[in-house]
Amino acid sequence: MKTTYVFPIVLLVFFAFHAKAQEDIGYKEPPAEIIELVDAPVTPSMRISPRNNVILLLENTGLPHIEELAREELRLAGIRFNPRTNGRDFRNYHTGLTLMDIDGSNERPVTGLPEEPRIQRVSWSPDGQKAAFTHTHDEGIELWVLDIASAEAFQLSGPVINDVLGNAFNWLADSETIIYKAVPEGRGEAPERPHVATGPNIQESVGEGAAVRTFQDLLGDRHDEAIFDFYTTSQLVSTDLSGNAEPIWEPGVISSFQASPDGRFIRVTTLQQPYSYIVPFSRFAQRYDIITSLGEHARTIADIPVTEVMPQGFGATREGPRSISWRNDAPATIFWAEALDGGDPNTKAEYRDQVFFLENPFEGDPEEGFKTNYRFSGITWGTSDFALVSEFWRPTRIAKMSSFYPRDPAAGLTLLSERSTEDRYGDPGRLQTAPNEFGRNVIMFDEQGRNMYLIGQGASPEGNRPFVDQYNFHTGDTTRLWRSEAPHYENPVRIIDPDRQLVMTRREAVEEHPNYYLRDLRNESLTQITDFPEPFPQLRDLQKEMLHYEREDGIPLSGEIFLPPGFVPGVDEPLPTILWAYPREFLTADGAGQVTGSPYTYTRLGSSSIVMLVTQGYAVLNNASFPVVAQDEGEPNDTFVEQLVANADAAISTLVEMGIADPERVGVSGHSYGAFMTANLLTHSDIFAAGVARSGAYNRALTPFGFQLEERTYWQAPDLYNTMSPFMHADKMEVPMLLIHGSDDNNSGTFPMQSERYYDALRGHGATVRLVMLPHESHGYRARESVLHMHWEWLEWFDNYVKNKED
């Protein structure tokens, strides 16, 4: 028997010029075809063991009910957490575990799990013989361990895990010891807010600019600070697999910790006061310490002050050590990067960053390592003679890959590649790694130590064609070992054995739902590993095609067109049509025109997918290309509105010419920045009959220090902000507009107030507009009741103003 949960939902409704009182109704449900798709079973997730010999399948939950989202939640310093469990209440848990051998044989369910599993944070031991995970219940979070050989799980700790700031536990290299963050013993009761204030809350700036974006859920007063301290304070505890646990470090607000590859040392990052009321905890003052695994202090690496003030621009960073981590290829060597340009991307500099190294016993000055021309973004470790360095420069979208020799870090870098990240066709793929003797991932080589391996999406004008490449770092030659072929879309997941050339792939086709396969590249053989049930059999007859067309200025565009079963374009009457898109900024037309996606993928739908409207007689152009391209050495947003309209006009004109769309019955919809797009299109064009905007921002004056990829502030470009803000043009709206927003949206910039104030502006100018605030929902909608009601609103609105539009 299905239980129906009914909660009040505020629906502010105005049709034409006649205002109605607030409606107080329960959650509504869309037609059965959509409910069936929303409730479709969720395919299990896969985790492959470090030694590539065992597969762990994790059963996933469907949508939670609204009562789960309504549970108590604290919102402090940029995070939300459950005070009862001391963890981030993600509401998405794994509910079961199954093991199988890498070839799909010997499938066995895991036994010994708790009665109602709520599993998260699954982590393999370095030797691959065990896996640890957390289990959450109403009174807290427990640590559990799965023994692979016996397929049996057992509880290792009580409900003492503190996961409020994440990074709940680490395996040590011996695969017999786990370090975890625990709620301090005898913590007591949380501080209570005084009934009477002891004084005003005061913030003061003394002339130094602190231009920060619109973060949410920040600290607001001393009581917030006390509550934050209470719930985030934890103590590092070491336990063996028999449950013998000992505290090893003093309690503190530990934001993260990481064990050295040899397991003898731990890097501990602790937040320090004074806290900030304008930035999240990730930018609070931090102290970096190295301690032994027995809890003895070895060295303080850095004390970083609170980062409220930072130079303007996406290439900006704070001064001092950052990205402090362990070398994966050495027993215990710490490294970090420091800005050489003051962290200011607007400063001209030959070198932006320098990397430093400090080896056990962590005495004396750190060793000065290589310098980077762009912002340092990471190292992929290989051997003592070879490693790869990544750099990226946001203003130009340029990424570099270089090699260096860890034995001589100051010797400099050897450039291997430099490319624009907008050039998806030229993406060389991601380098494959494998665990070393410490259980840390390093570059995967063949037996001769000459060849490395890359896996990539293989973007091309015909769509994505994933590949496996072999790269000889001595000669620089690249050999393509394999590439996905039509009519399948086959995506490599991991190279299982480079010398035997065995690869785990995820294979699908338009009429074949995804499953995992073991592909032998030498013998060209394929072995199916999993046999998951088909999640959406009811969509087998749905028509899907990758559509290619051009914008008026010649930029190639694409999208996925979905049509009801049996519809024949040019023969049958044109359909009511919905366009779904999300704008993206580009510096070049070449990058903007590159194709994404594949015509050979199985149609799998998220619970909030617009494609579900195809079951109700609509044509849907999904993920339509909406590039916004820099013109004449300017910035992309300089012609934002004009390019939105050009994108939409190209898409709809193509569908009309094909006999698919009725030009008088076209709607548009989008989420977040796509909602912003939707409002602008309805305001500045006459292409659409109606629109639905979900969780958007409509007044850019409320995000004055930048938004999306716009770096300029409101005061540097007020005309741009005003032109791009549909709120500023509310008097021009002549098309029916439905606004949907989560009442607890935590996304930067998309405050619920954005929709509320935009609704007020539209209502005040006599527009046909409806506002739906979904209780307990954040930026994305998670509760089953909310998602179904959203579909009901979508369908009612589009049926009324698009499908059945009056001439």
Side-chain angles (χ1 to χ4, degrees), residues 40-47 57-63 91-97 119 532:
V42 183
T43 301
S45 305
M46 171 187 279
R47 303 284 180 88
L57 297 177
L58 301 89
E59 296 176 18
N60 296 309
T61 60
L63 297 175
R91 282 107 177 183
N92 293 319
Y93 302 94
H94 304 296
T95 57
L97 304 173
I119 296 168
F532 300 135

PDB file of all heavy atoms in Angstrom, residues 40-47 57-63 91-97 119 532:
ATOM      1  N   ALA A  40      11.273   4.678 -11.649  1.00  0.00           N
ATOM      2  CA  ALA A  40      12.040   3.595 -12.271  1.00  0.00           C
ATOM      3  C   ALA A  40      13.180   3.162 -11.358  1.00  0.00           C
ATOM      4  O   ALA A  40      13.763   3.989 -10.640  1.00  0.00           O
ATOM      5  CB  ALA A  40      12.597   4.052 -13.611  1.00  0.00           C
ATOM      6  N   PRO A  41      13.532   1.866 -11.356  1.00  0.00           N
ATOM      7  CA  PRO A  41      14.624   1.387 -10.489  1.00  0.00           C
ATOM      8  C   PRO A  41      15.950   2.047 -10.848  1.00  0.00           C
ATOM      9  O   PRO A  41      16.211   2.352 -12.023  1.00  0.00           O
ATOM     10  CB  PRO A  41      14.652  -0.118 -10.773  1.00  0.00           C
ATOM     11  CG  PRO A  41      13.982  -0.285 -12.094  1.00  0.00           C
ATOM     12  CD  PRO A  41      12.947   0.790 -12.170  1.00  0.00           C
ATOM     13  N   VAL A  42      16.756   2.286  -9.820  1.00  0.00           N
ATOM     14  CA  VAL A  42      18.055   2.927 -10.006  1.00  0.00           C
ATOM     15  C   VAL A  42      19.112   1.846 -10.209  1.00  0.00           C
ATOM     16  O   VAL A  42      19.215   0.907  -9.414  1.00  0.00           O
ATOM     17  CB  VAL A  42      18.419   3.807  -8.797  1.00  0.00           C
ATOM     18  CG1 VAL A  42      19.732   4.533  -9.043  1.00  0.00           C
ATOM     19  CG2 VAL A  42      17.298   4.807  -8.518  1.00  0.00           C
ATOM     20  N   THR A  43      19.906   1.953 -11.252  1.00  0.00           N
ATOM     21  CA  THR A  43      20.940   0.967 -11.546  1.00  0.00           C
ATOM     22  C   THR A  43      22.026   1.007 -10.480  1.00  0.00           C
ATOM     23  O   THR A  43      22.432   2.092 -10.045  1.00  0.00           O
ATOM     24  CB  THR A  43      21.559   1.254 -12.926  1.00  0.00           C
ATOM     25  OG1 THR A  43      20.521   1.202 -13.920  1.00  0.00           O
ATOM     26  CG2 THR A  43      22.632   0.241 -13.274  1.00  0.00           C
ATOM     27  N   PRO A  44      22.552  -0.151 -10.046  1.00  0.00           N
ATOM     28  CA  PRO A  44      23.617  -0.162  -9.050  1.00  0.00           C
ATOM     29  C   PRO A  44      24.880   0.551  -9.532  1.00  0.00           C
ATOM     30  O   PRO A  44      25.133   0.652 -10.744  1.00  0.00           O
ATOM     31  CB  PRO A  44      23.892  -1.659  -8.842  1.00  0.00           C
ATOM     32  CG  PRO A  44      22.639  -2.338  -9.279  1.00  0.00           C
ATOM     33  CD  PRO A  44      22.089  -1.502 -10.393  1.00  0.00           C
ATOM     34  N   SER A  45      25.654   1.043  -8.584  1.00  0.00           N
ATOM     35  CA  SER A  45      26.968   1.626  -8.871  1.00  0.00           C
ATOM     36  C   SER A  45      28.027   0.540  -8.781  1.00  0.00           C
ATOM     37  O   SER A  45      27.831  -0.483  -8.114  1.00  0.00           O
ATOM     38  CB  SER A  45      27.292   2.743  -7.878  1.00  0.00           C
ATOM     39  OG  SER A  45      26.279   3.719  -7.857  1.00  0.00           O
ATOM     40  N   MET A  46      29.165   0.777  -9.444  1.00  0.00           N
ATOM     41  CA  MET A  46      30.243  -0.209  -9.448  1.00  0.00           C
ATOM     42  C   MET A  46      31.516   0.392  -8.871  1.00  0.00           C
ATOM     43  O   MET A  46      31.874   1.526  -9.172  1.00  0.00           O
ATOM     44  CB  MET A  46      30.514  -0.699 -10.869  1.00  0.00           C
ATOM     45  CG  MET A  46      31.766  -1.567 -10.983  1.00  0.00           C
ATOM     46  SD  MET A  46      32.205  -1.997 -12.693  1.00  0.00           S
ATOM     47  CE  MET A  46      31.098  -3.348 -12.974  1.00  0.00           C
ATOM     48  N   ARG A  47      32.213  -0.384  -8.033  1.00  0.00           N
ATOM     49  CA  ARG A  47      33.549  -0.026  -7.544  1.00  0.00           C
ATOM     50  C   ARG A  47      34.469  -1.215  -7.806  1.00  0.00           C
ATOM     51  O   ARG A  47      34.187  -2.327  -7.362  1.00  0.00           O
ATOM     52  CB  ARG A  47      33.520   0.275  -6.045  1.00  0.00           C
ATOM     53  CG  ARG A  47      32.553   1.369  -5.627  1.00  0.00           C
ATOM     54  CD  ARG A  47      33.071   2.755  -5.966  1.00  0.00           C
ATOM     55  NE  ARG A  47      32.121   3.779  -5.550  1.00  0.00           N
ATOM     56  CZ  ARG A  47      32.100   4.336  -4.350  1.00  0.00           C
ATOM     57  NH1 ARG A  47      32.976   3.941  -3.437  1.00  0.00           N
ATOM     58  NH2 ARG A  47      31.209   5.260  -4.053  1.00  0.00           N
ATOM     59  N   LEU A  57      29.341  -4.084  -6.143  1.00  0.00           N
ATOM     60  CA  LEU A  57      28.146  -3.411  -6.638  1.00  0.00           C
ATOM     61  C   LEU A  57      27.379  -2.820  -5.459  1.00  0.00           C
ATOM     62  O   LEU A  57      27.176  -3.499  -4.450  1.00  0.00           O
ATOM     63  CB  LEU A  57      27.249  -4.377  -7.412  1.00  0.00           C
ATOM     64  CG  LEU A  57      27.840  -4.976  -8.685  1.00  0.00           C
ATOM     65  CD1 LEU A  57      26.851  -5.965  -9.298  1.00  0.00           C
ATOM     66  CD2 LEU A  57      28.175  -3.879  -9.695  1.00  0.00           C
ATOM     67  N   LEU A  58      26.965  -1.566  -5.605  1.00  0.00           N
ATOM     68  CA  LEU A  58      26.269  -0.857  -4.533  1.00  0.00           C
ATOM     69  C   LEU A  58      24.851  -0.535  -4.981  1.00  0.00           C
ATOM     70  O   LEU A  58      24.654   0.149  -5.998  1.00  0.00           O
ATOM     71  CB  LEU A  58      27.000   0.435  -4.165  1.00  0.00           C
ATOM     72  CG  LEU A  58      28.449   0.305  -3.681  1.00  0.00           C
ATOM     73  CD1 LEU A  58      29.417   0.359  -4.859  1.00  0.00           C
ATOM     74  CD2 LEU A  58      28.804   1.418  -2.708  1.00  0.00           C
ATOM     75  N   GLU A  59      23.876  -1.031  -4.248  1.00  0.00           N
ATOM     76  CA  GLU A  59      22.479  -0.755  -4.564  1.00  0.00           C
ATOM     77  C   GLU A  59      22.144   0.684  -4.160  1.00  0.00           C
ATOM     78  O   GLU A  59      22.526   1.135  -3.080  1.00  0.00           O
ATOM     79  CB  GLU A  59      21.564  -1.725  -3.830  1.00  0.00           C
ATOM     80  CG  GLU A  59      21.757  -3.177  -4.250  1.00  0.00           C
ATOM     81  CD  GLU A  59      20.902  -4.127  -3.440  1.00  0.00           C
ATOM     82  OE1 GLU A  59      19.922  -3.654  -2.813  1.00  0.00           O
ATOM     83  OE2 GLU A  59      21.219  -5.331  -3.403  1.00  0.00           O
ATOM     84  N   ASN A  60      21.437   1.381  -5.037  1.00  0.00           N
ATOM     85  CA  ASN A  60      21.113   2.791  -4.816  1.00  0.00           C
ATOM     86  C   ASN A  60      19.633   2.979  -4.490  1.00  0.00           C
ATOM     87  O   ASN A  60      18.783   2.217  -4.948  1.00  0.00           O
ATOM     88  CB  ASN A  60      21.477   3.608  -6.053  1.00  0.00           C
ATOM     89  CG  ASN A  60      22.964   3.598  -6.325  1.00  0.00           C
ATOM     90  OD1 ASN A  60      23.762   3.872  -5.437  1.00  0.00           O
ATOM     91  ND2 ASN A  60      23.353   3.280  -7.555  1.00  0.00           N
ATOM     92  N   THR A  61      19.368   4.001  -3.725  1.00  0.00           N
ATOM     93  CA  THR A  61      17.987   4.310  -3.353  1.00  0.00           C
ATOM     94  C   THR A  61      17.316   5.143  -4.433  1.00  0.00           C
ATOM     95  O   THR A  61      17.980   5.804  -5.242  1.00  0.00           O
ATOM     96  CB  THR A  61      17.935   5.086  -2.036  1.00  0.00           C
ATOM     97  OG1 THR A  61      18.660   6.307  -2.197  1.00  0.00           O
ATOM     98  CG2 THR A  61      18.545   4.295  -0.906  1.00  0.00           C
ATOM     99  N   GLY A  62      15.995   5.131  -4.424  1.00  0.00           N
ATOM    100  CA  GLY A  62      15.234   6.055  -5.250  1.00  0.00           C
ATOM    101  C   GLY A  62      15.079   7.378  -4.536  1.00  0.00           C
ATOM    102  O   GLY A  62      15.831   7.713  -3.612  1.00  0.00           O
ATOM    103  N   LEU A  63      14.085   8.142  -4.929  1.00  0.00           N
ATOM    104  CA  LEU A  63      13.869   9.445  -4.309  1.00  0.00           C
ATOM    105  C   LEU A  63      13.363   9.286  -2.879  1.00  0.00           C
ATOM    106  O   LEU A  63      12.477   8.475  -2.612  1.00  0.00           O
ATOM    107  CB  LEU A  63      12.852  10.246  -5.123  1.00  0.00           C
ATOM    108  CG  LEU A  63      13.245  10.606  -6.557  1.00  0.00           C
ATOM    109  CD1 LEU A  63      12.082  11.297  -7.254  1.00  0.00           C
ATOM    110  CD2 LEU A  63      14.476  11.495  -6.569  1.00  0.00           C
ATOM    111  N   ARG A  91      20.960  12.190   2.105  1.00  0.00           N
ATOM    112  CA  ARG A  91      19.678  11.539   1.787  1.00  0.00           C
ATOM    113  C   ARG A  91      19.798  10.511   0.665  1.00  0.00           C
ATOM    114  O   ARG A  91      18.825   9.883   0.293  1.00  0.00           O
ATOM    115  CB  ARG A  91      18.590  12.561   1.404  1.00  0.00           C
ATOM    116  CG  ARG A  91      17.988  13.258   2.618  1.00  0.00           C
ATOM    117  CD  ARG A  91      18.452  14.665   2.737  1.00  0.00           C
ATOM    118  NE  ARG A  91      17.811  15.346   3.863  1.00  0.00           N
ATOM    119  CZ  ARG A  91      18.019  16.631   4.136  1.00  0.00           C
ATOM    120  NH1 ARG A  91      18.804  17.353   3.374  1.00  0.00           N
ATOM    121  NH2 ARG A  91      17.432  17.189   5.167  1.00  0.00           N
ATOM    122  N   ASN A  92      20.958  10.356   0.104  1.00  0.00           N
ATOM    123  CA  ASN A  92      21.176   9.325  -0.896  1.00  0.00           C
ATOM    124  C   ASN A  92      22.137   8.297  -0.320  1.00  0.00           C
ATOM    125  O   ASN A  92      23.309   8.597  -0.090  1.00  0.00           O
ATOM    126  CB  ASN A  92      21.750   9.917  -2.189  1.00  0.00           C
ATOM    127  CG  ASN A  92      20.760  10.820  -2.887  1.00  0.00           C
ATOM    128  OD1 ASN A  92      19.583  10.511  -2.949  1.00  0.00           O
ATOM    129  ND2 ASN A  92      21.232  11.937  -3.422  1.00  0.00           N
ATOM    130  N   TYR A  93      21.636   7.098  -0.092  1.00  0.00           N
ATOM    131  CA  TYR A  93      22.426   6.060   0.549  1.00  0.00           C
ATOM    132  C   TYR A  93      22.444   4.812  -0.326  1.00  0.00           C
ATOM    133  O   TYR A  93      21.594   4.612  -1.190  1.00  0.00           O
ATOM    134  CB  TYR A  93      21.839   5.698   1.915  1.00  0.00           C
ATOM    135  CG  TYR A  93      21.729   6.844   2.884  1.00  0.00           C
ATOM    136  CD1 TYR A  93      20.546   7.575   3.001  1.00  0.00           C
ATOM    137  CD2 TYR A  93      22.803   7.200   3.669  1.00  0.00           C
ATOM    138  CE1 TYR A  93      20.448   8.631   3.894  1.00  0.00           C
ATOM    139  CE2 TYR A  93      22.710   8.256   4.561  1.00  0.00           C
ATOM    140  CZ  TYR A  93      21.537   8.967   4.670  1.00  0.00           C
ATOM    141  OH  TYR A  93      21.447  10.012   5.548  1.00  0.00           O
ATOM    142  N   HIS A  94      23.434   3.971  -0.080  1.00  0.00           N
ATOM    143  CA  HIS A  94      23.437   2.639  -0.659  1.00  0.00           C
ATOM    144  C   HIS A  94      22.743   1.708   0.331  1.00  0.00           C
ATOM    145  O   HIS A  94      22.982   1.777   1.543  1.00  0.00           O
ATOM    146  CB  HIS A  94      24.864   2.169  -0.923  1.00  0.00           C
ATOM    147  CG  HIS A  94      25.653   3.111  -1.789  1.00  0.00           C
ATOM    148  ND1 HIS A  94      25.314   3.373  -3.090  1.00  0.00           N
ATOM    149  CD2 HIS A  94      26.754   3.854  -1.523  1.00  0.00           C
ATOM    150  CE1 HIS A  94      26.179   4.235  -3.598  1.00  0.00           C
ATOM    151  NE2 HIS A  94      27.055   4.551  -2.667  1.00  0.00           N
ATOM    152  N   THR A  95      21.917   0.840  -0.193  1.00  0.00           N
ATOM    153  CA  THR A  95      21.106  -0.011   0.685  1.00  0.00           C
ATOM    154  C   THR A  95      21.495  -1.482   0.623  1.00  0.00           C
ATOM    155  O   THR A  95      20.866  -2.304   1.287  1.00  0.00           O
ATOM    156  CB  THR A  95      19.624   0.123   0.296  1.00  0.00           C
ATOM    157  OG1 THR A  95      19.463  -0.218  -1.089  1.00  0.00           O
ATOM    158  CG2 THR A  95      19.134   1.543   0.528  1.00  0.00           C
ATOM    159  N   GLY A  96      22.502  -1.819  -0.145  1.00  0.00           N
ATOM    160  CA  GLY A  96      22.943  -3.202  -0.226  1.00  0.00           C
ATOM    161  C   GLY A  96      24.245  -3.293  -0.988  1.00  0.00           C
ATOM    162  O   GLY A  96      24.602  -2.400  -1.772  1.00  0.00           O
ATOM    163  N   LEU A  97      24.989  -4.391  -0.756  1.00  0.00           N
ATOM    164  CA  LEU A  97      26.284  -4.600  -1.395  1.00  0.00           C
ATOM    165  C   LEU A  97      26.357  -6.011  -1.958  1.00  0.00           C
ATOM    166  O   LEU A  97      25.883  -6.961  -1.326  1.00  0.00           O
ATOM    167  CB  LEU A  97      27.429  -4.398  -0.389  1.00  0.00           C
ATOM    168  CG  LEU A  97      27.500  -3.057   0.353  1.00  0.00           C
ATOM    169  CD1 LEU A  97      28.590  -3.104   1.427  1.00  0.00           C
ATOM    170  CD2 LEU A  97      27.763  -1.914  -0.625  1.00  0.00           C
ATOM    171  N   ILE A 119      24.306   3.232   3.690  1.00  0.00           N
ATOM    172  CA  ILE A 119      25.747   3.125   3.485  1.00  0.00           C
ATOM    173  C   ILE A 119      26.263   4.315   2.680  1.00  0.00           C
ATOM    174  O   ILE A 119      25.682   4.701   1.663  1.00  0.00           O
ATOM    175  CB  ILE A 119      26.082   1.806   2.754  1.00  0.00           C
ATOM    176  CG1 ILE A 119      25.700   0.617   3.631  1.00  0.00           C
ATOM    177  CG2 ILE A 119      27.552   1.753   2.360  1.00  0.00           C
ATOM    178  CD1 ILE A 119      25.728  -0.716   2.906  1.00  0.00           C
ATOM    179  N   PHE A 532      22.116  -5.895 -15.665  1.00  0.00           N
ATOM    180  CA  PHE A 532      21.151  -5.083 -14.935  1.00  0.00           C
ATOM    181  C   PHE A 532      19.811  -5.080 -15.671  1.00  0.00           C
ATOM    182  O   PHE A 532      19.773  -5.110 -16.906  1.00  0.00           O
ATOM    183  CB  PHE A 532      21.648  -3.647 -14.806  1.00  0.00           C
ATOM    184  CG  PHE A 532      22.952  -3.499 -14.073  1.00  0.00           C
ATOM    185  CD1 PHE A 532      23.953  -2.669 -14.564  1.00  0.00           C
ATOM    186  CD2 PHE A 532      23.186  -4.182 -12.898  1.00  0.00           C
ATOM    187  CE1 PHE A 532      25.154  -2.516 -13.888  1.00  0.00           C
ATOM    188  CE2 PHE A 532      24.392  -4.049 -12.205  1.00  0.00           C
ATOM    189  CZ  PHE A 532      25.372  -3.212 -12.708  1.00  0.00           C
TER     190      PHE A 532
END
